[in-house]
Amino acid sequence: MDRVYELAPGAKAQLHALVKTRLIETSEYNDDVLPEYIVVMVGNRKSCAHLCEDLEAFLGKEGATAFSLWLWDTLSRSPLVVASPDLAKPKYVVCCCGSFHCNTMHQGYVFTNNSG
């Protein structure tokens, strides 16, 4: 299941600096626009898969995958994020084709079960 993160209070600037440094090290991006976009996506609790898909236009498929996996690995060990109350709620995955039981899982989307 694709985990989402909630930013800790006051963590945006630190995450922005971390993301910008990594982008400079691994790509040709040296501006504030793409790091800010990434921080907003994390802050809006987008999944790694969603981030990766959106970054393909900027970093290419391979670069977007590598960056997204690095970021999610980094966030999993970071004090920049906090446990979201929604992370404790049961979730289910639905494929982009609309099936809850798709064996292909073309692209999975995670939804929170708000009924419980």
Side-chain angles (χ1 to χ4, degrees):
M1 189 174 316
D2 204 356
R3 168 163 268 190
V4 294
Y5 292 103
E6 186 171 320
L7 289 177
K12 284 184 180 181
Q14 291 174 303
L15 181 58
H16 185 279
L18 181 72
V19 165
K20 184 174 181 176
T21 299
R22 182 66 178 198
L23 287 171
I24 290 170
E25 292 171 354
T26 61
S27 71
E28 59 192 53
Y29 283 93
N30 188 15
D31 63 17
D32 287 324
V33 177
L34 188 56
E36 184 61 28
Y37 178 66
I38 293 167
V39 169
V40 167
M41 288 192 64
V42 172
N44 287 335
R45 303 180 61 230
K46 302 299 181 187
S47 68
C48 182
H50 189 141
L51 178 69
C52 183
E53 184 179 306
D54 281 9
L55 291 181
E56 279 186 34
F58 304 98
L59 304 175
K61 186 171 183 76
E62 198 172 292
T65 299
F67 181 85
S68 299
L69 291 175
W70 166 83
L71 182 58
W72 252 241
D73 181 57
T74 301
L75 290 176
S76 73
R77 299 176 274 112
S78 174
L80 298 177
V81 293
V82 294
S84 169
D86 286 347
L87 291 177
K89 293 182 181 177
K91 294 189 169 105
Y92 57 91
V93 177
V94 61
C95 181
C96 63
C97 70
S99 171
F100 290 101
H101 305 290
C102 178
N103 291 329
T104 307
M105 282 306 292
H106 302 99
Q107 171 65 52
Y109 295 95
V110 178
F111 295 91
T112 301
N113 181 354
N114 290 321
S115 63

